[in-house]
Amino acid sequence: MTVKIVVQKFGGTSVNTRELREKAALKVQETQKEGFSPVVVVSAMGRKGAPYATDTLISLAREEFSNLDPRDLDLLLSCGEIISAVVMSQTLRRMGMKSVAFSGAQAGIITDNHFGDASILRVEPDRIKKYLDKGYVVVVAGFQGATEEGEITTLGRGGSDTTAVVLGIYLQADYVDIFTDVNGVFTADPRIVPEAQILQGLTYTEAAEIIQQGAKVIHHKAMNLAREYRIPLRVRSLSDEGKGTLICDISTLTKEGLRILSQEEPVYSIAYRRGLAQVRVNLGDSENGELKIFQSLAQEGISIDLVSLFPEGTAFVVDETVGSKVEEILRREGFEVNLTLPCAKVSLVGSDMADRPGVVAQLVEALKDANIEILQTGDSHITISCLVKSQDMERAIQVLHHKFRLEKAC
Ligand code: ADP
Ligand code: MG
């Protein structure tokens, strides 16, 4: 018998209270009634401060033990999702469904041994399938797996999204539902722009670009896997009866009667990334200075973004946490360095930017009118990004959203 499978992932804020878990269970029941076998993936319950949330477990580890071994830290952190899986599975049973809870290891998720940020190598799905065949809803603890040797690992922040998509791939699911605390993917983060509009349909490429530019509504690893393996995603919330955002290929979007935004709108979304530092270096009369700069940063394993190179010097962006390290490395090499932090990158995501000269003019005009200093810009054919001081970030997103009329366009 071939069963049609749907993976349903519930984020931390969707399983935080009994009421929410019961709502989540109703969504699972609906899916079952539609003829699918649901596999549920859960994150740890709640955000920082909640007793079993990941950040609470991290504080426990950090406050008591300054130097906890990464293996033990992963063992500790994996507990948040295991607790959540058991509680969710019991909720499903109380509502009359057959259900079983698995840790990542029990679900057959095999990872490398990169504790804290492990990558899934493969899934051995037989145990899950055995239970699905018997009519059980399988609840899997997200964000974790185990090495070949049986050591428990975690997948890094946002890792439950990856668990859900990878299970979707190995179980050949029809689609993966991502339930979160917003109703879908929006023209901009609705917490920053209250009038942001939901994007009802996105192609894999469109969604991947929004995520790549920083929208954390889906983890970028999960998004890239969904795109590579063509697993449709639906981003939804428990509080909304709407369909949320469907992320799939163009032909399915067309069949569903949804617009292909990148074919119609020059800009359809604004994403942001916080926690950055701008580094400006004066090359002086140093020979091959730019080469020395980039080689020494590469040797230290520091990734850089928004690189601008001109005869007198260079400017680029690094993660805020390595800002002073970069400054130190380059000073040691004899360069004059200027560091600006904290900064944020705000990106317009759209289509054919290179062919639309007006977009840059509009961006500059909007930020100038709002007295926001642009520290640097960068672009690709589908994005234009500008670096601003962190304190200006929210206002920059708001004025750009308005300037490009995104509250009306999408
Ligand atoms: P979960 O715990 O369910 O995984 P996350 O906090 O990881 O939830 O992701 C959801 C958050 O993503 C939202 O609360 C919202 O602040 C943020 N977000 C950023 N950009 C967007 C966007 N374009 N559309 C929707 N949400 C966004
Ligand atoms: Mg998340």
Side-chain angles (χ1 to χ4, degrees), residues 9 11 43 47 157-159 161 180 216-219:
K9 180 248 166 177
S43 298
R47 294 262 152 91
R157 212 162 270 279
D161 293 345
T180 182
K216 66 160 195 167
V217 56
I218 306 168
H219 191 266

Side-chain angles (χ1 to χ4, degrees), residues 248-256 260:
C248 56
D249 53 30
I250 286 196
S251 59
T252 315
L253 283 184
T254 315
K255 237 183 280 162
E256 296 283 325
I260 314 297

Side-chain angles (χ1 to χ4, degrees), residues 9-14 43 47 161 179-182 184-191 210 214-218 269-270 272:
K9 180 248 166 177
F10 296 94
T13 48
S14 305
S43 298
R47 294 262 152 91
D161 293 345
F179 281 93
T180 182
D181 58 356
V182 285
V185 183
F186 283 71
T187 48
D189 187 339
R191 293 182 193 290
I210 299 175
K216 66 160 195 167
V217 56
I218 306 168
S269 185
I270 301 177
Y272 63 91

Side-chain angles (χ1 to χ4, degrees), residues 68-331:
L68 196 64
D69 167 19
R71 175 214 177 256
D72 284 6
L73 182 61
D74 268 14
L75 197 53
L76 174 68
L77 295 188
S78 69
C79 297
E81 273 73 13
I82 295 177
I83 294 170
S84 191
V86 174
V87 171
M88 193 64 212
S89 179
Q90 290 298 325
T91 307
L92 291 164
R93 285 200 207 174
R94 194 174 54 216
M95 291 174 66
M97 286 168 264
K98 289 204 280 186
S99 175
V100 60
F102 285 155
S103 68
Q106 289 173 321
I109 296 173
I110 317 277
T111 73
D112 63 16
N113 61 1
H114 200 204
F115 292 109
D117 191 23
S119 294
I120 298 178
L121 299 176
R122 60 175 202 284
V123 179
E124 290 174 356
D126 291 354
R127 199 164 183 182
I128 296 183
K129 282 186 179 159
K130 201 172 87 192
Y131 276 91
L132 291 181
D133 283 345
K134 290 194 277 188
Y136 280 75
V137 176
V138 176
V139 183
V140 180
F143 172 69
Q144 57 181 274
T147 64
E148 303 277 4
E149 292 75 37
E151 293 290 350
I152 303 295
T153 52
T154 67
L155 308 179
R157 212 162 270 279
S160 296
D161 293 345
T162 313
T163 304
V165 171
V166 170
L167 287 178
I169 294 167
Y170 276 85
L171 296 167
Q172 295 179 311
D174 279 29
Y175 54 87
V176 173
D177 271 338
I178 305 279
F179 281 93
T180 182
D181 58 356
V182 285
N183 296 343
V185 183
F186 283 71
T187 48
D189 187 339
R191 293 182 193 290
I192 296 177
V193 184
E195 59 279 12
Q197 296 294 305
I198 193 160
L199 298 165
Q200 292 181 322
L202 288 169
T203 64
Y204 292 112
T205 313
E206 289 165 354
E209 194 58 31
I210 299 175
I211 304 302
Q212 177 66 32
Q213 294 306 326
K216 66 160 195 167
V217 56
I218 306 168
H219 191 266
H220 63 93
K221 269 194 198 168
M223 184 61 238
N224 289 338
L225 284 167
R227 174 191 195 173
E228 203 173 319
Y229 287 87
R230 298 301 206 241
I231 295 279
L233 303 179
R234 302 193 307 186
V235 184
R236 315 157 65 186
S237 85
L238 289 174
S239 58
D240 184 55
E241 287 307 313
K243 288 185 170 170
T245 299
L246 174 65
I247 301 172
C248 56
D249 53 30
I250 286 196
S251 59
T252 315
L253 283 184
T254 315
K255 237 183 280 162
E256 296 283 325
L258 295 167
R259 293 163 61 205
I260 314 297
L261 293 169
S262 52
Q263 291 174 359
E264 296 178 23
E265 304 290 345
V267 175
Y268 53 83
S269 185
I270 301 177
Y272 63 91
R273 194 181 291 284
R274 305 178 200 264
L276 303 175
Q278 186 195 36
V279 185
R280 278 173 299 151
V281 194
N282 197 331
L283 288 180
D285 45 18
S286 152
E287 211 166 292
N288 281 334
E290 62 277 42
L291 195 60
K292 272 191 217 150
I293 293 172
F294 297 123
Q295 277 176 344
S296 43
L297 296 181
Q299 264 162 20
E300 296 281 340
I302 293 169
S303 17
I304 54 178
D305 186 24
L306 272 189
V307 184
S308 314
L309 202 55
F310 28 89
E312 316 76 57
T314 174
F316 55 90
V317 166
V318 295
D319 204 275
E320 186 184 12
T321 52
V322 294
S324 32
K325 184 174 168 193
V326 169
E327 192 176 25
E328 195 192 301
I329 295 171
L330 299 181
R331 289 238 163 98

